[in-house]
Amino acid sequence: VADALSRVLSRVTLLEWNEETIPVIVPIYERLAHSSTNSNVKLVTDDDEQSLLVVATREIPEGSPLTRDYTLAPRLDKDDSKGPLRLLLQFGLPPNSW
């Protein structure tokens, strides 16, 4: 069960919605590459909170990948792993992704 939950959490991001922070899985957003130091997009709602938008957090040069910060994803209860260990355990990211 923990393994299945961890796999789901590896696709989840947190979203501010109706003044709450909720976990969501957004099919295109969850597939973006990871960068904890150089992420360039984030997930937000529109003014009416009826739509989800992927918006740039800075200028993105042509041909550059869209990236998000996986370290902002929720984690399992009592999971206190940090940095590279968390990225390996929860997301399966190899050392060259750290």
Side-chain angles (χ1 to χ4, degrees):
V1 173
D3 181 57
L5 182 55
S6 184
R7 289 175 191 261
V8 170
L9 286 178
S10 73
R11 300 294 180 214
V12 172
T13 192
L14 297 175
L15 177 69
E16 297 294 325
W17 188 283
N18 293 324
E19 299 181 20
E20 289 184 61
T21 301
I22 59 170
V24 296
I25 297 176
V26 179
I28 292 175
Y29 188 75
E30 60 96 7
R31 301 299 300 163
L32 296 178
H34 163 69
S35 177
S36 60
T37 59
N38 205 21
S39 62
N40 56 23
V41 297
K42 67 179 180 177
L43 193 63
V44 299
T45 61
D46 66 358
D47 291 338
D48 297 330
E49 294 190 331
Q50 298 298 310
S51 300
L52 295 176
L53 308 169
V54 176
V55 298
T57 57
R58 59 182 175 79
E59 190 166 326
I60 304 169
E62 185 177 333
S64 296
L66 301 179
T67 58
R68 70 181 186 107
D69 186 352
Y70 286 13
T71 64
L72 301 177
R75 53 177 65 214
L76 294 171
D77 288 343
K78 299 181 183 179
D79 175 6
D80 59 359
S81 60
K82 296 187 180 9
L85 178 60
R86 178 170 184 230
L87 293 174
L88 178 62
L89 293 175
Q90 186 166 339
F91 304 103
L93 293 176
N96 64 351
S97 299
W98 304 340

